Every structure is written in C-alpha cells, then in structure tokens.
Amino acid sequence: MNFFNIALLILLTGSLAALAIRRSSLASWVGTAATVTACLFALTSSLHVLLTGEVLRQSLPWSVPGGEFALLIDPLAAFFVLPISLLSLFCALYAGPYMRHSGQQRSLSSHWFFFLLMVAAMLLVVTAANAVLFLATWEMMTLTSFFLVAWDHRQAEVRKAAWLYLLAAHLGMMLLLALFLLAGDICNSFNFSDFGPLARIPLGSASILYLLALFGFGVKAGLFPLHIWLPDAHPAAPSHVSALMSGVLIKTGIYGILRVVSLLPAAPAWWGWLMALLGGAGALYGISLAAQQRDIKRCLAYSTVENIGIIFLGLGFGIVATAEGHPQLALLAFAGGLLHLWNHALFKGVMFLGAGTLMHATGTRDMNRMGGLLRRMPLAGLLWIGGSLAIGALPPFNGLVSEWLIYISLARAGAGVVGFGALAPLLLFGLLGLVGALALVTFTRLIGICLLGEPRDPGAATAREADPVMLFSMGTLLTGCLAIGLYPQGALRLMARPLSQVVQTSPEMIAGLGQQVAPLGFAALLLVAILLLTAGLLFVIRRHRPLAQGTTWRCGYRFPSPRMSYTGEGYGEFAAWHLLPAFMRPTVNGGHIVGPFPAPARLHQESTDPVLVRLLHPLFTGIAERCQRLRWLQQGQLSVYLFYIFIASAVLMAWSIWAGGRGG
Amino acid sequence: MIGGLFLHLALLLLFAPLLLGIITKTKALFGGRIGAPLLQSYFDLARLWRKGFVFSRTTTWVFLAGPVVGLVVPLLAALLIPFGALPAPVSFEGDLILFVYLFGLSRFFTALAALDTGSSFEGMGAVREVTFSCLAEPTVLFSLLVLARLSDGLSLNTLLGSHLLTAWQSEAGASLSLILVCLFVVLLVENSRIPFDDPNTHLELTMIHEVMVLDHSGPALAMILYGAALKMMVLSALLVKLALPWQTGWWLGDVGLFLAGQIGVAVLIGVIESSMARLRLPRVPQVLIGTSLLSIFALVLVLR
C-alpha cells in the first residue's frame, strides 16, 4: 500500500508543482518525471497484488458525510491499475516532445496539472472502496479529462466535442448517483466492504441496480448506443490524451460494471445476454463506421467502440455461461474479455500515439492529405503497421489471443448445447468473424491511404521522422503486444487472480487455460520464424539480381499525379454501398453538374454518427421544445417565486410527515 | 510425426502448381484448343525465379512483404489441415480460428502491397479483395461450425475426422452438402476464379486479384504465383476431405485418393470457368450474402 500512496503523493505534488511553473519546458520535465516515477510505484504495487494475491487496504477518516478515504487494492483493482500505470507512463514520456511546439505558444503548466490529476483520479477510481470517494474521484476524472480534451479550445469543434463529452459523462453520473444512493440505502453504509447485504436482495431490485450500473458506467465505457461522445472527443484531444482515454480511462467504466456485478446476487442469464448483444452490436456498428472516417483519429475512436464491444461481448457471454452453469465456458469468455481489455490498452496506445506522430509531422488529421509517409517516417510507420496488425487480431500479435478465447467459448457453447438455444452463440461467433473482416478493411485503408503510395499534400511530402522518445513509447507498447502474442500463457498467469474474482474457477482450470492458449503462441512463433526466413531469402536474392526502378504501371498513362491515387472515400465506398444499411452510409453533398456549360462543382462527403444525429439529436431537441411550453411558470415576479418556494416547502413537509408516519 | 510433416509439405509444394495447369488444360479442351502443357506453371515459376526485379519508385518494404506473407501463410495453414486421410502435422484445439486469421494476415499484406504502388487500379483491387472477404469469412466460419457441431472438438483434424463418413449417411448429409457448395463458392472467391474474378482478363478495371500484383516482377511475382497455387490447394483440401471422406488404410492409397480429389476440384473449376461468364461486380456481394445465408441454414439444420 505504501508504494501506491507514494505514487498518489507524487502525482498530487507533481500536479501542483507543474501548475506553479510558468515555463513550458520545465513544466513538461516535471510532469513527465512525476508521472514516470509515480507510475513505476503504482506498477510495482499492482504487480505485487497480481503475483502474490495479497489484498492491500487502508482507511483514513474523511470529513465528508458518509465518506471514508478507504482504498482497496484487490486483484480486480490491480488488474486495472496495471494498464493505467503502464499506459500513463508511456503517454507522459510521449507528451514531452509532442507538446513542445504547442508549449512555445502557451504555457503547458495547466496541461500537466490536469494530466497528473487525471492519472491520479484513474488510479483512485479503481481502488476506491467507498462510494462517496468513488463518485468524487469519478467526477474528478471526468473534469480533468474534460479540460484535457478542451486543450485546443480556440477551435469551435474542440469546444463542441468537449461539451458533448461533459454532457454525456454527467448523464451517466446521474445514473451512478442513483445506483450508489440505492445501494447505500439498502446497506446503510457507503463503504464497499459493508455492501454485503446487496448479495441478498431480491432479483427485481438487483436488476434495477444492474441496469443503472450498465448504462451509467456504459456511457463512460463507450457501450453502444451510449458511445456518442467518443468519436468527437478522441480527435479533439491531444494524441497522448486520446491514447490514455481510449486505452484506459474508458475501461474504468468496465471496472465499475464488474465491481457492481460482483457485489450483486448471482446474475441471471438475461443480464449477460443484454451486455453481450449490446457489445456485439457495438462491435459491428463501430467497425462499420470506422471504415468510413477520413479523420484518422475519428477512425481510431470508432475502432475503440468496436473493441469495447468485443470486450462486452466476452464479459456478457461469461455472465450467461455462469448463469447457465458452464464454468469452463465462462472462464474462457471472461479470460477473453479481460485479456482483450489489456490488449486494447496496448495496441490502441500504439495506434493513437502513432496517429499523433503523423499529425505532428503533416499538420493534419485528414488521411486524404497524407500518403507516402512510410518512406519519410520509416520507424513510426513500421510501428503503426504493427499496431494495425495487433488491432486487426492478426497473428502473431496479441489481439488474436483474446478474440480466440472468446471465439472458442462461443463455439463450444454452440457445439455443446442441444437444440436451438445454440444458435445465439453461434450467430455471435459469425458476427465476430464479420467484425474481424471489416477490421481488415478499416486498417488496410488506414495504413494504405496514410502511409503508402505517394504524398497527396505538401505537408506529407515534407514530413520527417518522429522524435526518438515518441518512437520509444510506441515501440515499447508494441513489444508488449508482440510478447503477449508469442507467450500468451504469461499474460493469463498474471490474470489468474482477477479472473478467479469474477468467475468461479479453480487453479487447475486456470492452468488448463494456459495450456490451451500455449499452441497459439507456438504457432505465432513458428509464423514469425518462417516469415523472417523467407524475407531473408528474398533479401539475399535481391542483392544478387539486377534491380531496375520505374514508375508504377498506370495503364500506359505517362503523367501520373498523386491526386489520381485512391482516397479514403474511394476505399470505403465499396463496403459502404454494398454492405452497410442506408442509414449508416456517409452523406454526400454537392457534386451536381448543371447546365450545358457547368461551373466547377464541389463534392463533399461526411460520415456522421447515426445514433447521435438520427436518434439522440431529435430526441433531445424534442424534449427541449416541450420544455419551452413550461416557460409561463417563469413570470419574473418575486412574489410568484416566493409562492413556489412556499409550495415546495409545504409539499416536502407533508411528505416527510407521511414518510415518518410509515416508520421510514 | 516428422514423416507426416514431410509428406504433407512434399505433396503441397510439388503438386500445387499442377492444379493451375489442369485448370488451364480443361479450359483449353473446352475451347477446342490443345493449350499450354500441364507443367506450364512450373516453367513459369522457374523462369520468373531467375529474373531480376523492377520496382516502382514509390514502393517500400511493404511491397515485398506482400509476396513473402502470401507464400508463408498457405504454407503454415497447410500444416493445420488434413490432406485427405493424412492427418494434419500441427493440430490443436481451436486451430480453425488461426486458420481463418492466417489468411486474413495474407490478405492484409497483399492489399497493402497493392496500395504501396500508389496506383488507383491496384487500390481498386485491394478494396474489392478486402470487401468480398467480409462476406466470405462468415460463410467459412459458419461452415466450420457445422462441422464442429458434428464432431466433438474444435481442431481442423477432428472437424475433418473419420466421423464424416457416418455423418454423410445420417440426417446431417443435407447440411454437409450445403456447406460443400458454400465452401466451393468461397474457394472460387478466394482464388479469384470465374465467376467472381477472371485471372486472364486484360482490362485492369475489371480485375480483382490480378490487378493487385500488376507491379510485381521476377522472384517476387514467382512467390505470389506459387503462394496463390498453395492457397488453392490448401482451401480445396477442405473440400476434398469433405467430399471424399474415405480412408484406404494404406498411406499411398490415401495420397492417391487425395490427389484424385484435388484433380477433380481443378477439373470442376475448369469446367465452371469454361461454361460461365464473369458476374457483374455488384452481383458478387449478393451471391456471397446468399452463401452466408445458406451456411446459416445448414447450421440450423444440424441444430435440430
């Protein structure tokens, strides 16, 4: 526990110190140093818990009513502390060179203040053992990340994105307030350690609590259809902040759901089905829209929706399997979902940090203005391709391992159950396959349009390789991806204790799980070996054969221009018009040629979020219009308002007398 | 074990290009021509292998990664799949997912190598390839699930085990014949065959797979062609085992049966190519959605 406290203290003093320093370079230095040391301490304590299983707890008095500064690092909390501290460490390292340019124009002290506080808030959220403390740190996490998203607040779209995020986060917060007030009312305490009676409440109230948790935490986690803030907020934020938010901040929502489910009575199957179906729908929805985005960070944000969907699919199916009495299948599904959570933190870190280096080098987020970057930024490009392989669940990287576990769980459920009950897991299995194939469309597009071909813009033509520190951060995260892909047993061994906390299992079953994935790591190793061998062979041959250079074949056309090469829209069009339903297609404006001597026409294509634009926007506009009708209540006269206060007090008094009469 | 591995690899590496020759020969016979010799693809490979390279100025290492991955992936995938009655040398529970995703890896790098040239034609090919595979992949997975439902394991070795013979005679025969059709369609799509793609067309606009490798030359092109031949043999091994589930009990007999099956598939492809026209591009997704539904239907039939 001491190490964890030291980490928190370093983060808090570091944030204040950063706030006090006006000079950007010094503030960056202090911020980076504080985050790195603090994260190393937090990492040590989480590894200690994961390896030894010792539960660390501490409790300090706190003057807030109902509150207690109680921290608890059990394996489930440590499972989340590990990626939070790991990713924060590399994001902080990356932020130094990334923000250097921005720091010449304005002071970075406020950025580092909020960054350090956000890391501290995330660490506190997953370790808080008191509902009041939890909600306070949850709010602190929301506010600090809001300020980080709104860093470039001079741009209108950034302000809008940050505002949407704040709004969505607080709608979720209201559900969480209701959840913890109800739970606190049942248990007469706000300490998680006193939440024991929750496990004995009737199913009806438990379901209400579960739904509150699923949707309240789901907003933060990006659970479909509550993901609406995500595609706007991620592009608006600086890249290392997007990486941190997408990689770990939204995972605190999953932590919340897992924690609440572990407190509630044994879950009925429909809880799991609800989660798995929303997850599957989100995965398909997210990846289909990711294949349409021109903005590289928006594309990655939608891929986050997809991956969160896969995690929810795994965890939800795990709940189903537990409820229906298949502990083996539940273990596979939970292991897949949880491992995917770690994996996603690693490869989404690589991808967002890589997107940051491309933006930094070209000055744009628009993939149609990039191109040919692999020649100019060979290392950053290589790491980005590696990250894409991992995120597309391709061997030999880690994404395949976690998806494989979920696949196997679904397939075994489908093969084992008699009758049509087996159809649901089997269809989810096919859906996961479709999502994987669409991920291939998305990421070949992202890599192909951004990195390959010829530069489509002067900004891309003059791009230069990223700073070594930025490359080091990306490279280390990618090494982690490869390590889990080649040696998945290691990651599963580290996950054994958190797994046994969320699913009924025995050490033998966990050991068996390690043996099951071992061949996958072996196959990945074999693949790497044969690939290197063949590539070496080709390399040797190339040195001994005549080489000629020429231009690309363009059907005999002699004056090729980069403007003729494929664009992001062109690449996504085929899938959009042949695979997607009409409401998910991008909207095309303009492009009409009129008259016999037409003026130059312009064509603009845009992909907006259908849930936000077609569902939530009309809904909330409608509500706002209805509320307009209540404006006659606002008369603007003091006497009327006094009358309202009188009525309100009278009603409250009557209610308290009535409630008191019933003995409540 | 080691003997099995060598036999597997020898069969694959030696006989794969022959299948292409058989297809060409069949088409020539249908066209009333004598056609190229059966061993023409071997000659082509040898000739290309001795040549030098021509690279476009825009390309990077990714351009060469395409051929390398395209060759290695079918090689590794072949180790996971039984060749007729010869069991797969590498087999573990759940290897069917690896099998599917390995081909995803090769598709990823083939598409990237095409985009690396910066040519819009090659971009077009890449789009078509990755988009069609979105529809082919669920079909493959559902077909494998039908097999998984009929066996008691999740490795390709058990999926395509000896129980298939009894399964054909039981009620599951209908499902098996449905997935046989589905897998055959997938074989045609994945190997860019008529009616989905025409390997012999000479208009870049209408190509899918061929346009992606337009800029490759010399040994790299040889690797691509060889990889394509291997891929075809690996995917049709799935069909052969399904259609001819017999075991002779003698390894040479099994090899003979397997090769006979492979030749049969090649002749069938040749017949289809000779008797059908290429589908219009927008029709291809519709056909593939049809096979996906067919495979789901096959799955529902075995759930009963």
Side-chain angles (χ1 to χ4, degrees), chain A residues 375 404 407 414 417 545 548 550 552, chain B residues 49 55-56 59 94 101 117 149:
Chain A
R375 279 180 95 84
W404 183 85
Y407 269 123
V417 179
R545 294 287 159 78
T552 299
Chain B
W49 188 251
F55 291 115
S56 161
T59 55
Y101 274 80
T117 60
R149 187 78 198 178

Side-chain angles (χ1 to χ4, degrees), chain B residues 24 27 193-194 197-203 207 210 273:
Chain B
T24 332
K27 285 170 77 175
R193 290 279 146 193
I194 292 177
D197 184 11
D198 187 356
N200 292 328
T201 180
H202 51 262
L203 185 61
M207 299 177 182
E210 284 309 297
E273 296 221 324

Side-chain angles (χ1 to χ4, degrees), chain B residues 249-271:
Chain B
W250 179 45
W251 70 270
L252 216 53
D254 289 338
V255 169
L257 187 66
F258 172 69
L259 286 179
Q262 287 279 357
I263 291 169
V265 172
V267 170
L268 189 60
I269 293 176
V271 171

Side-chain angles (χ1 to χ4, degrees), chain A residues 375 382 393 404 407 412 414 417 429 434 452 454 519 534 541 545-546 548-550 552-553 555 564-566 571, chain B residues 49 51 53-59 72 92-94 101 112 117-118 120-121 124 127 134 145 149 204 215 219:
Chain A
R375 279 180 95 84
L382 174 71
W404 183 85
Y407 269 123
R412 284 217 185 122
V417 179
F429 183 95
L434 181 60
L452 306 177
E454 283 180 78
T534 320
I541 293 172
R545 294 287 159 78
Q549 292 254 313
T552 299
W553 170 247
C555 293
M564 288 162 58
S565 54
Y566 240 54
Y571 203 89
Chain B
W49 188 251
K51 288 198 169 199
F53 292 86
V54 182
F55 291 115
S56 161
R57 286 189 193 89
T58 59
T59 55
V72 168
F92 60 92
E93 183 74 359
Y101 274 80
L112 284 195
T117 60
S120 39
F121 293 113
M124 227 177 262
V127 173
C134 290
L145 281 177
R149 187 78 198 178
E204 289 87 343
D215 271 86

Side-chain angles (χ1 to χ4, degrees), chain A residues 131-319:
Chain A
V132 179
L133 179 67
F134 180 88
L135 288 173
T137 50
W138 184 266
E139 186 60 17
M140 181 166 130
M141 188 172 79
T142 304
L143 290 178
T144 49
S145 51
F146 164 75
F147 285 113
L148 287 171
V149 169
W151 171 249
D152 285 320
H153 57 82
R154 287 196 182 82
Q155 296 173 24
E157 53 164 5
V158 171
R159 286 199 302 273
K160 206 177 142 203
W163 175 242
L164 181 64
Y165 169 52
L166 197 66
L167 211 67
H170 281 102
L171 280 177
M173 180 74 178
M174 289 197 326
L175 297 183
L176 295 185
L177 273 174
L179 164 73
F180 284 112
L181 280 177
L182 276 175
D185 191 42
I186 293 168
C187 307
N188 286 321
S189 161
F190 283 112
N191 283 331
F192 288 173
S193 52
D194 301 330
F195 275 5
L198 279 186
R200 293 183 293 275
I201 56 176
L203 194 61
S205 10
S207 298
I208 292 174
L209 289 183
Y210 170 73
L211 289 178
L212 284 173
L214 183 67
F215 291 109
F217 287 116
V219 172
K220 189 67 113 195
L223 174 70
F224 176 82
L226 308 171
H227 64 278
I228 38 136
W229 61 272
L230 229 142
D232 284 335
H234 283 346
S239 294
H240 58 286
V241 177
S242 331
L244 207 53
M245 284 178 73
S246 170
V248 289
L249 187 137
I250 59 169
K251 309 285 170 52
T252 55
I254 297 177
Y255 164 78
I257 294 174
L258 283 177
R259 182 63 85 188
V260 169
V261 169
S262 75
L263 292 170
L264 291 177
W270 72 265
W271 290 11
W273 280 124
L274 181 67
M275 194 194 274
L277 289 179
L278 286 180
L284 194 57
Y285 178 89
I287 200 66
S288 312
L289 283 172
Q292 319 286 328
Q293 305 304 320
R294 234 171 109 157
D295 182 329
I296 52 174
K297 283 174 77 180
R298 211 175 145 83
C299 172
L300 292 177
Y302 272 114
S303 140
T304 301
V305 176
E306 176 228 339
N307 281 291
I308 290 294
I310 294 176
I311 295 172
F312 274 120
L313 176 59
L315 299 179
F317 190 68
I319 294 178

Side-chain angles (χ1 to χ4, degrees), chain B residues 136-160:
Chain B
E137 198 143 305
T139 314
V140 177
L141 287 175
F142 284 129
S143 306
L144 291 175
L145 281 177
V146 171
L147 294 174
R149 187 78 198 178
L150 296 177
S151 66
D152 53 347
L154 288 175
S155 75
L156 287 168
N157 237 354
T158 37
L159 249 53
L160 299 167

Side-chain angles (χ1 to χ4, degrees), chain A residues 319-337:
Chain A
I319 294 178
V320 173
T322 312
E324 291 182 348
H326 303 289
Q328 289 277 3
L329 300 180
L331 179 64
L332 279 169
F334 269 114

